[in-house]
Amino acid sequence: MVITTRPGVADQQIDALRERLERCGMRTLAVRRGSRVVVGCLDAPGAAEDSGDWQQDVNIESIMAWTRPYRLASRDASPGGAHDTTPIRIGSARDAVVGGNGIVVIAGPCSVEGLEQLRATAHGVRNAGATALRGGALKPRTSPYAFQGLGAEGLELLSLVRQETGLPVVTEVLDTRQVDLVAEHADVLQVGARNMQNYALLAELGRIGRPVLLKRGFAATITELLFAAEHIMTRGNHDVILCERGVRTFESATRFTLDISAIPVLKRETHLPVIVDPSHAAGDAELVPALAWAAIAAGADGLIVEVHARPEQSRSDREQQLSLPAFSAMMRGATTFAAAAGRRLARGAPAIVEPPLYVSRQAALRRRPVAS
Ligand code: PEP
Ligand code: MN
């Protein structure tokens, strides 16, 4: 059940109400919505809910049943009410917020391959208006013989390039044992499609103070994606960004099939921000801009796009990575589509006029950055 209090009820009375509910065996969550507080009872309905006692409480305005099977991710528990998206801050820059009016573009290589590759790509995407940098250091590869990422060294490089560019870093975590290490370097921890239902990992991410980018599994339903978010949120971390990245279908012309309808469905079901990965869906750089623009038109709050300063040298997902000029062209089109959707692109960090002097990777690693 979902209880909405009357306006202006004091915090002590909310606490007392929650204590009473919890004594009846219900876990509760309180979300402030303007001058009212919404108290959600998380567990399955029980006798206490049916008893009707709660109706007598003078502080309570209304009691409703949950309208959806998930709880914290659902619009029933939305801090902003029935239509708002909950904004999630991913960095210190003013516009580094996913779920506000600005559409956030996260861009960078599939994998971190070395300092020069990462640096050139990061400066390029920053100058083209990206708000955050992506790059995998720990890679979930289908083949165990394929490049598995630079691991801890890749995370160090991401920290270093974040320091140089001011771009917040989004990078993947594969395993519960890596969560603390990745959280030291990342502003946002990505859960890849292959791990969407790794419930031990989701639980571990529920206890960290960093936003999580949760990608939809390529054989997962929208409901399963929302329950995966719920696994993180029930552990205490409410900063979950959902990502549609294509699902597996009979179609073989593209790597996956981008489920555009997932965007309006998710916007109807959840207050969490929704972003789209057109790169893994398409598997082909030429198709990426059209899918990115379609995502904006359908209401996405952001994009995560693979970009490489030299795509032909890429060690993973070579065919789908945009070159820097192609990314700039995609961004120009995105500006127009955002305006047509009544939105704008989030501003990236201001352009750097002087590129930093070349430093060798060893020298760069000696200047180890302090993770923020
Ligand atoms: C990625 O973003 O690098 C990635 C591996 O994506 P996905 O988990 O969607 O396949
Ligand atoms: Mn990739």
Side-chain angles (χ1 to χ4, degrees), residues 67-142:
T67 60
R68 287 146 171 111
Y70 25 85
R71 308 278 197 247
L72 305 180
S74 87
R75 288 215 165 271
D76 294 338
S78 160
H83 304 292
D84 284 4
T85 301
T86 297
I88 296 180
R89 173 161 289 287
I90 61 168
S92 51
R94 199 165 135 249
D95 245 17
V97 175
V98 187
N101 185 254
I103 292 170
V104 162
V105 180
I106 303 162
C110 176
S111 308
V112 177
E113 296 163 4
L115 178 59
E116 289 320 306
Q117 170 249 13
L118 187 63
R119 175 183 273 160
T121 309
H123 284 275
V125 298
R126 182 182 193 275
N127 289 339
T131 304
L133 175 66
R134 64 148 288 149
L138 302 153
K139 294 299 300 177
R141 302 307 304 281
T142 302

Side-chain angles (χ1 to χ4, degrees), residues 16-309:
L17 171 64
R18 291 181 71 185
E19 268 168 40
R20 275 175 57 210
L21 289 162
E22 283 172 14
R23 272 202 302 275
C24 295
M26 287 180 269
R27 283 181 298 164
T28 67
L29 152 100
V31 181
R32 189 161 287 286
R33 193 182 281 169
S35 61
R36 295 175 169 80
V37 173
V38 176
V39 179
C41 303
L42 300 183
D43 299 293
E49 293 194 14
D50 299 336
S51 71
D53 289 359
W54 311 103
Q55 308 282 356
Q56 314 306 322
D57 190 319
V58 291
N59 294 318
I60 292 177
E61 186 171 83
S62 69
I63 302 181
M64 281 178 7
W66 291 100
T67 60
R68 287 146 171 111
Y70 25 85
R71 308 278 197 247
L72 305 180
S74 87
R75 288 215 165 271
D76 294 338
S78 160
H83 304 292
D84 284 4
T85 301
T86 297
I88 296 180
R89 173 161 289 287
I90 61 168
S92 51
R94 199 165 135 249
D95 245 17
V97 175
V98 187
N101 185 254
I103 292 170
V104 162
V105 180
I106 303 162
C110 176
S111 308
V112 177
E113 296 163 4
L115 178 59
E116 289 320 306
Q117 170 249 13
L118 187 63
R119 175 183 273 160
T121 309
H123 284 275
V125 298
R126 182 182 193 275
N127 289 339
T131 304
L133 175 66
R134 64 148 288 149
L138 302 153
K139 294 299 300 177
R141 302 307 304 281
T142 302
S143 164
Y145 309 114
F147 175 55
Q148 305 290 307
L150 294 181
E153 184 190 346
L155 294 171
E156 301 271 359
L157 296 177
L158 285 163
S159 275
L160 177 72
V161 172
R162 179 203 14 232
Q163 257 192 348
E164 285 182 6
T165 59
L167 292 172
V169 161
V170 180
T171 194
E172 184 160 353
V173 58
L174 297 178
D175 190 294
T176 51
R177 292 163 296 185
Q178 302 161 343
V179 168
D180 290 331
L181 173 69
V182 177
E184 257 178 56
H185 296 278
D187 297 281
V188 179
L189 282 80
Q190 176 177 324
V191 176
R194 290 156 189 81
N195 258 325
M196 189 204 86
Q197 288 179 308
N198 179 343
Y199 297 118
L201 179 61
L202 301 179
E204 204 56 22
L205 292 168
R207 63 165 186 80
I208 60 162
R210 288 268 192 285
V212 175
L213 172 56
L214 178 63
K215 297 187 97 176
R216 178 182 179 184
F218 43 76
T221 65
I222 292 170
T223 297
E224 286 164 342
L225 171 63
L226 289 166
F227 273 124
E230 203 77 14
H231 274 271
I232 301 171
M233 297 173 85
T234 48
R235 298 323 200 282
N237 185 355
H238 289 205
D239 290 344
V240 180
I241 301 163
L242 304 172
C243 180
E244 163 59 38
R245 46 78 73 210
V247 291
R248 187 156 277 170
T249 68
F250 55 81
E251 181 54 73
S252 58
T254 48
R255 187 175 177 190
F256 294 93
T257 297
L258 183 64
D259 183 6
I260 281 287
S261 47
I263 305 162
V265 171
L266 285 167
K267 297 305 281 182
R268 185 180 66 196
E269 295 296 307
T270 178
H271 59 95
L272 297 175
V274 179
I275 71 166
V276 168
D277 174 348
S279 307
H280 289 87
D284 177 345
E286 208 180 303
L287 305 177
V288 166
L291 298 190
W293 299 333
I296 293 174
D301 297 301
L303 301 169
I304 178 163
V305 184
E306 286 192 346
V307 184
H308 196 294

